[in-house]
Amino acid sequence: MADPDWEDTRATGVAERLAAEALIVDVEGFEGPLDLLLTLSRTQKVDLRRISVLQLAEQYLVFVDRAKALRIELAADYLVMAAWLAYLKSRLLLPPEPGEDGPSAEDLAAHLAFQLERLQAMREAAARLMARDQKGRDFFARGLPEDVTRIRKVVWTASLLDLMQAYARIRTRDDFRPFVMDRHDVFTMEQALDRMRGLIGYAGDWTDLVSYLPEGWELDPRRRRSATAAHFAASLELAKRGQIELRQTETFAPIQIRRKPDA
Amino acid sequence: MSDDAERSLFAAPPIAEQERMVEAILFATAEPVTVAELEARMPHGCDPAEALVYLRRRYEGRGVNVVKVGDGWAFRTAPDLGYLMQKETVETRKLSRAAIETLAIIAYHQPCTRAEIEEIRGVAVSRGTIDQLLEMEWIRFGRRRMTPGRPVTFVVTEPFLDHFGLESARDLPGLKELRAAGLLDNRPMPGGMGAPRDEEEAEDVTGQSELFED
Amino acid sequence: MSDDAERSLFAAPPIAEQERMVEAILFATAEPVTVAELEARMPHGCDPAEALVYLRRRYEGRGVNVVKVGDGWAFRTAPDLGYLMQKETVETRKLSRAAIETLAIIAYHQPCTRAEIEEIRGVAVSRGTIDQLLEMEWIRFGRRRMTPGRPVTFVVTEPFLDHFGLESARDLPGLKELRAAGLLDNRPMPGGMGAPRDEEEAEDVTGQSELFED
């Protein structure tokens, strides 16, 4: 969209500059650079599809320069747009460099024109939308809506199976007695603690924990398991109290204990 | 005469148009609208009373009617269609454990007092639970016990039997049958304890038959 | 055939009666009612869609009309009588220019991401603008875009259609022309500066056609 007759537009440049100056006063009123560009484009008095992007870029740059001269703070996006338009302008004016990559200056200009046209179209669409008949202004809903009465009805159900299970549950409740464990094969931690507290003084150096197991508890696996657990727990308790030291050379190696020297 | 002159001067809208206006105003307004208000809102020279006559006739027998409410006029749903303005939602919920247990005790031990239910369940029976079962019409009051305090008893009802597909409460399976059906979940007790005690079972059956014989 | 058989079996009310029912239901509520809702509230075997055809015709040119809003149906006063309703006029909050434009962009480009709105307007969309439109229930969240970041999209709602008297988003003024002119395309900036991502674009087209076609 390089404009061939952009030279002509220079003649009218003064008028546009004046228009742009008038706009500067109102810079707060613009909703961003695209909005400003759209406003500037109106001075071209042509269909947006035939707009001279080069001329528009020029107008915008003039606008930004004037704003700077008047020490008007422009938001960063206005300056970004100015830089981009300056670049676009130079690309439009200079012949393309051979072997140059990327989009052509014409493509970029066409896209900018598209953006403006689209923004303009959306503005018009918004205006047409707001011009429609609106509810509560031009047409109305029933002023006295009759609410639907909601009647919630709960139906409770149970099956015969539920009933029988419930009865069975009540009648058999008495059958259950608290579970009492057979303590014959259980060695408690308290027992182990008592034993170890008495024995620990006699062991001089590091001794395997297993050697503390009481007689008659090392052979039967169930008894051995219970006694080992009890003694292990008791040894932890003693260690916590600072009465013994514990060690294990490696994983699964025998656990050894000894009385703490100063205890 | 002067009235006619005024009318022609201001060229009131045709009556059909006035009818539309009244229709729209009555529809959109939250309260009934009086003729005076209609007149104030409509263009000069309108005769809302006349328009109302036409409008009322138009809505005769329709789904909504134009009715007089106090001094004003309003649209109202035709009385025969009122049921369309109700939305019934039916929710099916399982009876609570307390309710089903209470119901089971009444069914197996009827007539049964509240104290008896509490004794069997081992916990207090809330008023709400009994009320719920009464309301469902699954239980009703039986004869009062001829014991001190003359407590009320509860028995199960015909709808109860219907619901559970029973001919009589006597058809409820006894404990033996429940066990045979696998409903008595006899978890093996540690050390072989907790085997079903035959005596209790036997007692149960007699207990039940005693209760049902009247 | 089987449909007829079913109908006679359940003896649906005559269509004139069904029309009365639809009339009563639509009159009673301010919100649009769907055919499915009508069916649920009317007796079994009714055909509210057919009844609606008759009802709509009956109210053509009247002071109130039967209008379609999205999937629902409602009675609304005829727009030419709005001037009689000053008393009922609801002062709507004045929307800012940014809000109006954002709304229009969402309506015409839906489903539409915030980034797309910003690209079209060339300026950041403030949180408050989106919030205001959400609060008015004129827009709502649509499906997330299946693009990196999974951005949320916005679409317009049934209350939006209701407010502007639109049957569907397809009836937005000038939609066809805008599309024909390519002004609803998501055209990327050549060379990628601030350009929309390709995948997003592709999906956009399908997303839109989904909403507007059929």
Side-chain angles (χ1 to χ4, degrees):
Chain A
M1 253 211 203
D3 205 338
D5 48 23
W6 107 275
E7 286 296 328
D8 301 3
T9 61
R10 264 208 171 148
T12 55
V14 176
E16 276 144 26
R17 273 166 203 242
L18 286 174
E21 275 171 39
L23 290 167
I24 283 173
V25 185
D26 195 26
V27 71
E28 292 290 311
F30 289 106
E31 296 217 21
L34 213 54
D35 184 33
L36 172 57
L37 275 168
L38 191 58
T39 307
L40 290 174
S41 72
R42 293 210 180 96
T43 61
Q44 291 190 18
K45 295 193 171 62
V46 290
D47 189 309
L48 272 176
R49 298 201 158 198
R50 285 183 289 128
I51 199 162
S52 160
V53 168
L54 187 55
Q55 187 188 333
L56 190 60
E58 183 74 5
Q59 285 173 283
Y60 187 93
L61 294 172
V62 168
F63 173 93
V64 170
D65 282 347
R66 290 286 299 149
K68 276 186 194 152
L70 292 170
R71 294 168 185 271
I72 290 170
E73 285 285 330
L74 282 181
D77 48 351
Y78 286 87
L79 301 176
V80 170
M81 179 62 91
W84 187 78
L85 286 174
Y87 161 79
L88 178 62
K89 184 180 140 189
S90 67
R91 289 278 309 273
L92 286 169
L93 289 174
L94 298 170
E97 279 179 41
E100 194 182 47
D101 266 355
S104 70
E106 283 72 21
D107 289 342
L108 293 174
H111 185 73
L112 181 61
F114 167 75
Q115 283 181 293
L116 291 173
E117 200 192 344
R118 184 174 59 180
L119 180 60
Q120 178 62 29
M122 280 300 113
R123 292 253 158 98
E124 285 164 5
R128 269 199 278 179
L129 187 65
M130 298 314 283
R132 284 185 69 85
D133 289 333
Q134 293 181 36
K135 191 173 86 172
R137 190 188 74 183
D138 306 292
F139 62 90
F140 298 84
R142 177 80 190 265
L144 185 61
E146 294 165 52
D147 280 334
V148 173
T149 329
R150 277 177 202 277
I151 303 169
R152 213 165 113 256
K153 205 171 138 193
V154 180
V155 174
W156 299 95
T157 65
S159 66
L160 187 58
L161 197 66
D162 294 330
L163 190 76
M164 296 191 305
Q165 276 171 337
Y167 190 66
R169 194 164 58 227
I170 302 161
R171 297 308 306 191
T172 54
R173 202 173 289 157
D174 301 339
D175 287 351
F176 297 105
R177 59 187 179 98
F179 181 72
V180 181
M181 231 204 299
D182 193 333
R183 304 188 71 85
H184 180 62
D185 289 334
V186 175
F187 205 87
T188 66
M189 191 190 85
E190 285 71 27
Q191 288 172 295
L193 208 54
D194 280 347
R195 261 177 65 78
M196 288 176 77
R197 234 189 257 120
L199 292 173
I200 190 80
Y202 298 102
D205 207 355
W206 290 106
T207 318
D208 282 1
L209 183 62
V210 260
S211 61
Y212 282 87
L213 297 193
E215 231 171 297
W217 287 75
E218 323 92 301
L219 295 171
D220 179 46
R222 267 191 297 174
R223 305 190 95 198
R224 185 188 168 85
R225 206 178 305 136
S226 174
T228 307
H231 280 80
F232 176 65
S235 70
L236 292 179
E237 182 60 29
L238 289 171
K240 200 174 93 186
R241 294 182 193 170
Q243 293 171 353
I244 62 163
E245 289 175 319
L246 275 166
R247 77 173 186 190
Q248 187 178 28
T249 49
E250 59 180 317
T251 317
F252 301 123
I255 295 167
Q256 296 182 315
I257 61 171
R258 74 167 176 195
R259 187 161 61 120
K260 220 167 176 193
D262 52 347
Chain B
M1 264 284 271
S2 74
D3 205 38
D4 276 350
E6 201 187 347
R7 246 182 232 196
S8 65
L9 197 64
F10 286 99
I15 194 71
E17 187 59 21
Q18 295 186 31
E19 197 196 317
R20 283 183 79 226
M21 294 175 186
V22 174
E23 188 177 34
I25 293 171
L26 293 194
F27 174 85
T29 311
E31 297 102 41
V33 189
T34 63
V35 172
E37 270 178 87
L38 284 170
E39 202 161 358
R41 286 169 70 169
M42 287 161 72
H44 195 91
C46 283
D47 184 349
E50 194 192 343
L52 262 167
V53 173
Y54 287 104
L55 192 68
R56 276 186 93 176
R57 201 172 300 154
R58 181 184 294 273
Y59 278 93
E60 255 167 36
R62 303 288 322 146
V64 289
N65 308 137
V66 179
V67 296
K68 191 155 194 223
V69 183
D71 291 337
W73 294 87
F75 277 112
R76 289 284 185 268
T77 307
D80 66 310
L81 296 179
Y83 71 94
L84 290 172
M85 304 303 142
Q86 297 180 343
K87 206 175 196 173
E88 194 173 87
T89 49
V90 178
E91 241 178 87
T92 310
R93 278 196 236 162
K94 268 222 176 279
L95 269 185
S96 69
R97 186 180 164 139
I100 190 89
E101 285 184 9
T102 303
L103 181 67
I105 292 166
I106 295 169
Y108 276 90
H109 295 267
Q110 65 172 358
C112 181
T113 66
R114 186 176 178 142
E116 285 160 2
I117 299 166
E118 293 184 343
E119 204 194 304
I120 296 169
R121 279 195 73 217
V123 285
V125 175
S126 82
R127 171 95 222 159
T129 303
I130 296 280
D131 284 351
Q132 186 188 5
L133 294 172
L134 284 169
E135 202 183 296
M136 291 172 75
E137 300 189 327
W138 278 1
I139 63 169
R140 61 176 173 81
F141 293 108
R143 278 174 304 183
R144 284 184 183 274
R145 267 293 153 69
M146 299 310 283
T147 51
R150 294 177 42 80
V152 296
T153 62
F154 299 100
V155 293
V156 291
T157 61
E158 200 65 35
F160 166 87
L161 296 174
D162 271 358
H163 181 92
F164 292 99
L166 297 165
E167 288 204 10
S168 81
R170 260 170 256 228
D171 296 336
L172 280 169
L175 277 193
K176 224 180 218 147
E177 291 156 286
L178 293 180
R179 187 167 291 129
L183 288 169
L184 284 194
D185 168 31
N186 271 315
R187 273 158 284 178
M189 299 297 258
M193 298 294 288
R197 278 152 299 174
D198 289 324
E199 330 85 84
E200 191 182 315
E201 226 182 322
E203 206 216 309
D204 228 43
V205 176
T206 54
Q208 199 175 303
S209 56
E210 251 169 57
L211 268 160
F212 283 112
E213 248 126 28
D214 49 351
Chain C
M1 261 292 268
S2 72
D3 207 36
D4 278 350
E6 200 187 349
R7 247 181 236 193
S8 63
L9 196 64
F10 287 99
I15 195 72
E17 190 55 24
Q18 295 186 31
E19 196 195 318
R20 284 183 76 227
M21 294 177 186
V22 174
E23 187 177 36
I25 294 172
L26 294 193
F27 244 84
T29 144
E31 310 301 325
V33 185
T34 64
V35 170
E37 281 174 88
L38 287 169
E39 205 162 355
R41 284 173 63 181
M42 289 161 70
H44 194 94
C46 283
D47 185 351
E50 196 192 340
L52 266 165
V53 173
Y54 290 104
L55 191 69
R56 219 183 173 183
R57 203 172 299 151
R58 180 182 297 272
Y59 278 92
E60 260 167 32
R62 307 281 326 140
V64 292
N65 309 136
V66 179
V67 298
K68 186 163 193 236
V69 182
D71 290 334
W73 295 85
F75 272 110
R76 296 287 179 256
T77 61
D80 66 306
L81 299 176
Y83 70 96
L84 294 170
M85 255 42 97
Q86 271 111 341
K87 218 180 111 190
E88 274 65 50
T89 304
V90 202
E91 264 316 309
T92 38
R93 212 169 359 154
K94 197 113 175 76
L95 280 180
S96 67
R97 178 173 148 184
I100 292 169
E101 281 182 22
T102 301
L103 178 67
I105 290 167
I106 293 169
Y108 284 84
H109 290 261
Q110 66 174 351
C112 184
T113 67
R114 188 181 184 126
E116 286 158 2
I117 300 165
E118 294 185 341
E119 204 202 298
I120 292 170
R121 296 196 66 232
V123 67
V125 175
S126 83
R127 172 93 222 162
T129 302
I130 295 279
D131 284 351
Q132 188 186 13
L133 294 173
L134 283 169
E135 202 183 295
M136 293 173 81
E137 298 190 331
W138 280 0
I139 65 168
R140 62 173 175 83
F141 292 105
R143 275 176 308 183
R144 281 183 185 273
R145 271 290 154 70
M146 299 310 284
T147 50
R150 295 178 44 79
V152 296
T153 63
F154 298 99
V155 293
V156 289
T157 61
E158 192 172 274
F160 165 86
L161 298 176
D162 192 14
H163 186 91
F164 291 100
L166 294 162
E167 274 196 26
S168 80
R170 266 166 284 157
D171 301 321
L172 283 164
L175 183 74
K176 273 200 190 86
E177 294 81 349
L178 287 171
R179 192 183 296 136
L183 288 169
L184 300 182
D185 299 350
N186 200 336
R187 204 180 291 177
M189 165 82 102
M193 179 180 153
R197 299 101 300 198
D198 284 7
E199 328 84 89
E200 190 174 313
E201 223 190 321
E203 220 236 303
D204 224 39
V205 177
T206 55
Q208 198 174 299
S209 58
E210 254 168 54
L211 263 159
F212 286 114
E213 257 128 65
D214 82 325

